[in-house]
Amino acid sequence: MNSELMNMAIAKFFDFYKSEVEGEQIDENNVVLSFPIHFSGFHRIEITVTQSGPDLFIISDGAKTLEELHDAGYAVESKLKKRLETISRAAQIRIVHEYLVSESNAASLGSAIQRFVEATKTIGDAYLVQRPSPPKDSNLVNQVAEYLSSQQVLFQIRRPLQGKIEKHLIDFYFPPNGVPGLALSVMGNPSRMAAEAWAFKSSDIKMVNERTKMGIVYDDTEATESSKSILVGIADISVASSEIPTLKNSLQSIGILKED
Amino acid sequence: MAKPPITRYTVDALVNARKYAVRVKKNTLESKDPKHGELLMLFEIRRVDSPAVDLVLEFRGRVMKAALPGVASTLYPSASLIWYGQRIRCLDHKIVHDVKEDGIVCGRIKGWHEHFWTDADGDDAVRPADPPVKNCDLHAIIAWCSKKWNIEGIQERGGLFDE
């Protein structure tokens, strides 16, 4: 019974696939095949199979994969091309101009087509699946700026600050003036990587600005536990976006704002 | 001009309105080594009744430059109308294109088809090219789209011959 079910499922799958794969003969040496496998732009994967010798076949994508990337808004420059070449190489595919290209003999043509389609789909999955764009920092920056203005705090916006290794751009800077200074950054998308980068920035600035405290305002709806622990652990003052009014207490604690 | 909501109603109204090509923004048809292998014509489009209003509307006609010796070219030209960076109409060719309605695949179209904007499927919605596309060169495709999408002056502005 079980093997009957298996045979039936496989047969049905092959029937479906046979009915869905479409072909178009271009000339006696070239055929285009269309597979029921889609890029995220909902275009089917189409490949060209060319017989260029008695036992030599060229499989190519008609430059459609890179065209899809281009249509999806990716700048297909050398860096992305190198990445695509790495993905393709695993499936023995080369990128020639804008084409994905593979070669095969008659005996392995079936598996070569399967491998080619799979690699094309992988590139589509890796680059074409629509991802929500990360939340912009700007809204949170505006909120913090408005709050600081309402508290009548004088601050400098987007000021470069020299660290020991390199220069860093700070969202809000309060220069030391009888009280410690504060370099306050705003992070709208606090991924772990962003938190680690900020931790580096923080320690680099502190190495040459001993009197400057490091502060962070982060979007707590987007923060993971690990990124939160890095930010809170490193910062002299850290404030979650849902608690911006507590920024007042933090500024008071380091003397930038006077106690009420 | 404030960005209008892109709905089927607003898109259809815009497509049906009489429009004209204001200027050529880009033309790489004569380029020997085009970027990304793409030969492209890009026009800024405005409404005939509001020539001073920038609609942020572009018409793009393009074809990839064939580059693989020994392999038959399957590169068909395509043309699209782009509103605020969003494709709202497109004429292109695929061996087969699945037809999607409300997110569900419900049929197939072979060959030339027109993408149109719907509220449920965005620009994934497709229908067969009507009238059928007779010639497959870029000039013919641009002429088809100019007529269908009510855009005047593209051939004249782009230095193309009328089909």
Side-chain angles (χ1 to χ4, degrees), chain A residues 19-20 22 24 26 30 32 38 41-44 46 48 50 62 64 67 70-71 76-77 98-99 101, chain B residues 35-36 38 60 62 66-68 70-72 74-75 92 94-98 100 105 108 110 115 124:
Chain A
S19 69
E20 286 291 315
E22 292 275 346
E24 192 174 287
I26 306 295
N30 290 278
V32 181
H38 301 87
F42 208 61
H43 283 141
R44 283 172 154 234
E46 289 182 2
T48 306
T50 304
K64 290 193 176 77
E67 191 183 351
H70 196 212
D71 284 349
V76 189
E77 306 294 351
E98 306 296 319
Y99 292 71
V101 182
Chain B
K35 202 175 180 187
H36 311 304
E38 181 187 61
R60 186 173 73 167
R62 65 175 189 155
L68 269 191
V71 173
T74 55
L75 301 171
D92 73 356
K94 289 278 179 286
I95 301 290
V96 176
H97 196 299
D98 293 320
K100 196 156 93 170
V105 175
R108 285 194 276 174
K110 292 186 178 184
H115 286 259
D124 284 345

Side-chain angles (χ1 to χ4, degrees), chain B:
Chain B
M1 186 188 176
K3 184 180 176 182
I6 296 184
T7 62
R8 182 168 188 167
Y9 178 81
T10 54
V11 166
D12 286 352
L14 182 62
V15 172
N16 292 335
R18 236 181 110 198
K19 299 175 289 299
Y20 72 107
V22 184
R23 65 187 175 103
V24 180
K25 291 176 86 174
K26 205 173 193 181
N27 182 354
T28 63
L29 291 191
E30 303 299 326
S31 171
K32 284 180 183 164
D33 185 23
K35 202 175 180 187
H36 311 304
E38 181 187 61
L39 303 170
L40 173 77
M41 284 201 96
L42 194 63
F43 297 87
E44 181 184 337
I45 307 295
R46 293 191 184 186
R47 287 177 67 131
V48 170
D49 57 7
S50 321
V53 179
D54 182 1
L55 298 168
V56 198
L57 183 66
E58 286 175 348
F59 177 89
R60 186 173 73 167
R62 65 175 189 155
V63 65
M64 297 292 282
K65 192 173 181 181
L68 269 191
V71 173
S73 172
T74 55
L75 301 171
Y76 291 94
S78 69
S80 49
L81 198 55
I82 297 159
W83 195 21
Y84 281 94
Q86 193 78 53
R87 189 177 72 166
I88 55 170
R89 285 286 190 277
C90 176
L91 177 72
D92 73 356
H93 181 281
K94 289 278 179 286
I95 301 290
V96 176
H97 196 299
D98 293 320
V99 177
K100 196 156 93 170
E101 271 179 25
D102 297 329
I104 297 164
V105 175
C106 57
R108 285 194 276 174
I109 293 176
K110 292 186 178 184
W112 288 101
H113 56 273
E114 184 187 16
H115 286 259
F116 62 104
W117 184 276
T118 67
D119 298 340
D121 300 310
D123 68 343
D124 284 345
V126 289
R127 57 191 170 204
D130 180 27
V133 174
K134 289 178 186 161
N135 299 315
C136 297
D137 60 286
L138 182 60
H139 293 193
I141 297 309
I142 288 177
W144 188 99
C145 295
S146 301
K147 198 170 177 188
K148 180 89 180 189
W149 302 337
N150 294 308
I151 307 170
E152 297 161 15
I154 286 185
Q155 282 111 322
E156 291 85 343
R157 288 261 173 221
L160 308 172
F161 293 110
D162 212 336
E163 293 297 319

Side-chain angles (χ1 to χ4, degrees), chain A residues 166-186:
Chain A
E166 60 184 28
K167 208 177 256 185
H168 306 279
L169 206 58
I170 300 299
D171 292 318
F172 300 98
Y173 180 61
F174 307 83
N177 183 18
V179 292
L182 175 67
L184 183 66
S185 299
V186 173

